[in-house]
Amino acid sequence: MKLNKILPYKLSRVLPILGIAGASLFTGCSKEDEPIRDTRMDVEITFTLKDPWDVIQENPDGTRQVNPLIKTYADHPDIRTVYLVPLNSWTSTTKNHITDLRKNVLEYAINYSPKVRGRGDFNFWPGEASKVPEDSLWYVQNGWTINRHFQKQR
């Protein structure tokens, strides 16, 4: 026994379906329309009040240079930003130490490469940072915050 199945069709229905199917071949997605994702990564280097030498190294001749790890990260093309993040308490820092930290440690790293930025919060003793407003502004302009926990309390 042989079964034949006949599919009835009308020419008026088949032509629009073939037209839609053919048109979809030419309107597919192109890679140009997709946004390009930045696959580079960010790196954080932490430092403390007791040991700022994670940022700067002092040479035997008395000169200072940026830590080789920061240099390596800043020169690597797959690294987007190198963030310097302060850890622990900074409440024992006086206004003179705030200025020294800026001029003798952090400026070296920030000026080394535009990839190097600050991140995180310095919790200086309340009022100490306001005694050196130009330094406070420099910290904020380069990505750090100062006493953010006091701002949250208000």
Side-chain angles (χ1 to χ4, degrees), residues 36-96:
I36 298 173
R37 288 187 10 207
D38 191 2
T39 57
R40 297 179 300 165
M41 58 185 177
D42 296 335
V43 176
E44 289 187 351
I45 296 179
T46 59
F47 63 98
T48 63
L49 176 63
K50 304 272 190 246
D51 194 19
W53 305 119
D54 292 335
V55 177
I56 296 295
Q57 288 185 337
E58 192 161 340
N59 297 327
D61 63 354
T63 60
R64 293 188 175 131
Q65 69 176 9
V66 176
N67 186 322
L69 182 62
I70 294 174
K71 287 182 179 181
T72 303
Y73 285 147
D75 295 339
H76 199 283
D78 290 337
I79 304 292
R80 179 179 36 229
T81 309
V82 179
Y83 289 110
L84 303 177
V85 182
L87 293 180
N88 301 334
S89 177
W90 293 80
T91 55
S92 63
T93 308
T94 64
K95 67 177 183 174
N96 294 333

